Amino acid sequence: MARDFKLIFSISLLLLLLDCCYGGKVGVCYGRSADDLPTPAKVVQLIQQHNIKYVRIYDYNSQVLKAFGNTSIELMIGVPNSDLNAFSQSQSNVDTWLKNSVLPYYPTTKITYITVGAESTDDPHINASSFVVPAMQNVLTGLRKVGLSRRIKVSTTLSLGILSRSFPPSAGAFNSSYAYFLRPMLEFLAENKSPFMIDLYPYYAYRDSPNNVSLDYVLFESSSEVIDPNTGLLYKNMFDAQVDALYYALTALNFRTIKIMVTETGWPTKGSPKEKAAASPDNAETYNSNIIRHVVTNQGTPAKPGEAMNVYIFSLFNENRKTGLDSERNWGLFYPDQTSVYQLDFTGKSNGFHSNSSGTNSSGSSNSWCIASSKASERDLKGALDWACGPGNVDCTAIQPSQPCFQPDTLVSHASFVFNSYFQQNRATDVACSFGGAGVKVNKDPSYDKCIYITAGGNKTKATNATALTSSASTSRGNELLQWILKLCLMISLFFSLHSMNS
């Protein structure tokens, strides 16, 4: 009995360590409702060139599946709503589909998820949601028959409309009108360890209520916080608040173990007249850049800090065949000629992202800096400084003791250097210098002695700060590498311990 307990404990610890070694993943949605798109083969080349490792498609097109063959890209494929009725009615329909449309491409094409239906509760044409769970069960049964039920996860995607209440997050609750569908779906997900897939768009909240929702708040740029009165948790962006509302809604129904995966989020670059204030390349670049950094750094949410989450950016290309407002056709990251609408680093390691939407670099003027406002309160400055050095991802080494920008040792001086670093790293836009009113733009270089304020291009006229910042980055990378090595050594040790117990 003791030996069995040790074995179970060791395996559990090993699995926990393995889970800790992986962070959040960022993918992209590859929709094809357009007339002028590149061939699937060229699209795959584009995806590889931009370091994208996870892709969602909305069907099981044979040319697309074939194009992703012999790549390391993990693919999420979809069963369209139009197929749900047939899939729910007959196991043989699903078995035939797997045999003819999926298995010929697997495992050469690395399929990891199948989404059965997309936002079915929002489909106005058919009672799609009533077919979802039976269809999911048949797809899982079909995968079990061919031994793939553990390698390919089955789920469905939903919109935030599945909630009847999303604020405050702790009051998150599912819409009771979907109870007939929700509970069996959640039971399926929990039993099979499949993720709860959700499409989240803070953009719509701002577009529809610009007087009630701050643009900075939805773009991950806010230096102020929204408090959940029930938990005391502080929220600096709407995305986290929406995700936590879902977690609380799941908890209310006693589904605490289900993980959330965001299968769509993004921002449009163009919109109709009522959307012009929100839909722009700059806002799209800011939102998507920040969501990528948020995910790959495992920031988690206030209710689940540090928890890894997988997120898919919508969408690879604009889709001119879509109906509705102009924004519906303008979510693309790339033009049909495969040039970037704006630059995104899918690794999340780049400090800045520069829009190419106008054919030129859209970073702010090289003779523009951001400093702390003399009118800002000490409390506001400290809050903004702490945020910039934390979630804002500014390297604040240069304002530490013995570093070039430590003196004068005042809050205003330290905040000014940090504000400017954040401002320049984020394209030197007005939004990036707001800090809730604590920042102000100036045209005179604030640099002094050996403390050099970088410009929009990240240039420094002296090497002192560059040395300090590079040293800090190297130390951080070294610490991450050391932690990884220690985890690897522990896993190896556990492996040999398990081997000795079994011999």
Side-chain angles (χ1 to χ4, degrees):
M1 180 67 71
R3 177 178 171 180
D4 290 341
F5 174 78
K6 289 179 180 179
L7 179 62
I8 294 171
F9 176 78
S10 299
I11 292 174
S12 300
L13 183 57
L14 178 59
L15 292 174
L16 178 63
L17 286 169
L18 284 169
D19 183 62
C20 290
C21 292
Y22 295 96
K25 300 173 182 177
V26 178
V28 67
C29 300
Y30 172 22
R32 304 192 315 282
S33 297
D35 299 315
D36 51 1
L37 300 184
T39 65
K42 290 183 178 179
V43 170
V44 170
Q45 291 177 358
L46 176 68
I47 287 169
Q48 291 175 316
Q49 289 169 6
H50 287 268
N51 246 349
I52 300 169
K53 302 182 185 301
Y54 310 94
V55 174
R56 176 189 176 189
I57 64 173
Y58 294 82
D59 55 16
Y60 42 88
N61 180 278
S62 59
Q63 288 184 323
V64 175
L65 293 180
K66 185 176 181 180
F68 279 94
N70 296 309
T71 70
S72 60
I73 298 167
E74 295 187 14
L75 196 62
M76 178 187 298
I77 69 173
V79 175
N81 289 352
S82 57
D83 290 346
L84 289 176
N85 190 4
F87 275 46
S88 67
Q89 298 298 320
S90 170
Q91 182 65 53
S92 63
N93 287 342
V94 173
D95 293 345
T96 301
W97 170 73
L98 286 171
K99 179 181 178 181
N100 296 334
S101 301
V102 178
L103 297 181
Y105 308 98
Y106 185 91
T108 305
T109 297
K110 196 174 181 181
I111 300 169
T112 53
Y113 292 98
I114 296 176
T115 59
V116 182
E119 299 187 358
S120 59
T121 55
D122 298 338
D123 195 319
H125 303 297
I126 58 173
N127 187 21
S129 57
S130 63
F131 304 131
V132 168
V133 177
M136 289 169 66
Q137 189 61 60
N138 286 343
V139 170
L140 180 64
T141 299
L143 290 173
R144 281 176 177 158
K145 289 180 180 180
V146 293
L148 295 179
S149 59
R150 294 187 178 181
R151 296 185 180 183
I152 301 177
K153 291 293 183 181
V154 179
S155 187
T156 187
T157 66
L158 299 167
S159 72
L160 197 63
I162 200 70
L163 294 183
S164 61
R165 186 169 59 247
S166 61
F167 189 84
S170 59
F174 287 113
N175 191 326
S176 59
S177 63
Y178 300 126
Y180 71 95
F181 154 74
L182 265 171
R183 184 162 288 279
M185 184 205 69
L186 294 175
E187 289 172 349
F188 176 95
L189 299 181
E191 181 180 351
N192 297 289
K193 296 182 174 59
S194 292
F196 183 98
M197 295 180 168
I198 190 75
D199 299 341
L200 291 184
Y201 287 101
Y203 163 77
Y204 290 119
Y206 174 74
R207 185 197 68 181
D208 297 339
S209 301
N211 295 326
N212 299 321
V213 179
S214 161
L215 180 60
D216 285 355
Y217 184 63
V218 294
L219 291 177
F220 290 78
E221 297 280 295
S222 178
S223 58
S224 59
E225 298 164 322
V226 175
I227 188 170
D228 185 321
N230 300 323
T231 62
L233 294 176
L234 301 175
Y235 290 84
K236 291 188 174 182
N237 64 80
M238 179 172 284
F239 178 87
D240 282 351
Q242 291 179 339
V243 171
D244 276 354
L246 287 162
Y247 274 123
Y248 281 110
L250 289 169
T251 299
L253 295 181
N254 292 318
F255 290 100
R256 294 179 173 83
T257 61
I258 297 176
K259 301 292 185 182
I260 290 175
M261 176 185 289
V262 178
T263 40
E264 283 184 18
T265 194
W267 201 280
T269 56
K270 182 181 178 181
S272 60
K274 68 171 288 189
E275 300 174 296
K276 282 185 177 179
S280 72
D282 275 348
N283 286 342
E285 185 177 359
T286 298
Y287 179 83
N288 286 333
S289 299
N290 285 335
I291 192 71
I292 289 171
R293 281 197 290 268
H294 192 67
V295 170
V296 301
T297 54
N298 281 354
Q299 293 181 32
T301 65
K304 290 186 175 288
E307 179 156 314
M309 181 188 302
N310 297 345
V311 172
Y312 287 74
I313 304 294
F314 185 88
S315 178
L316 203 59
F317 300 102
N318 290 337
E319 297 178 85
N320 66 310
R321 292 207 305 261
K322 287 197 167 183
T323 59
L325 297 176
D326 287 351
S327 63
E328 291 299 314
R329 295 175 287 281
N330 291 281
W331 295 78
L333 305 177
F334 299 96
Y335 295 112
D337 65 0
Q338 302 174 63
T339 58
S340 299
V341 179
Y342 49 87
Q343 298 297 323
L344 281 181
D345 175 10
F346 278 83
T347 68
K349 296 177 181 177
S350 175
N351 285 331
F353 302 84
H354 308 289
S355 172
N356 289 332
S357 57
S358 61
T360 60
N361 190 312
S362 70
S363 294
S365 170
S366 61
N367 61 350
S368 180
W369 293 264
C370 178
I371 62 173
S373 171
S374 59
K375 298 179 181 179
S377 68
E378 183 174 327
R379 177 182 177 183
D380 288 343
L381 286 177
K382 188 177 186 308
L385 180 62
D386 290 343
W387 179 87
C389 292
N393 290 320
V394 173
D395 189 328
C396 297
T397 303
I399 63 171
Q400 302 305 313
S402 78
Q403 296 300 323
C405 299
F406 177 71
Q407 295 293 345
D409 182 14
T410 66
L411 184 59
V412 171
S413 178
H414 290 177
S416 292
F417 179 82
V418 171
F419 286 7
N420 183 68
S421 297
Y422 181 85
F423 173 66
Q424 308 295 357
Q425 289 172 8
N426 289 274
R427 305 176 328 282
T429 63
D430 291 341
V431 170
C433 188
S434 61
F435 293 99
V440 60
K441 288 175 64 177
V442 296
N443 295 323
K444 183 179 179 181
D445 188 352
S447 301
Y448 59 92
D449 297 333
K450 294 181 179 180
C451 182
I452 309 303
Y453 281 55
I454 63 173
T455 59
N459 299 319
K460 302 179 181 68
T461 56
K462 297 183 182 180
T464 308
N465 284 350
T467 302
L469 297 176
T470 302
S471 172
S472 174
S474 299
T475 301
S476 176
R477 287 192 296 268
N479 289 337
E480 290 176 0
L481 179 60
L482 178 59
Q483 291 176 6
W484 185 87
I485 291 172
L486 288 173
K487 289 175 181 177
L488 180 61
C489 291
L490 185 51
M491 285 190 285
I492 293 172
S493 175
L494 283 169
F495 172 80
F496 283 110
S497 296
L498 290 172
H499 180 73
S500 63
M501 280 191 285
N502 289 327
S503 59

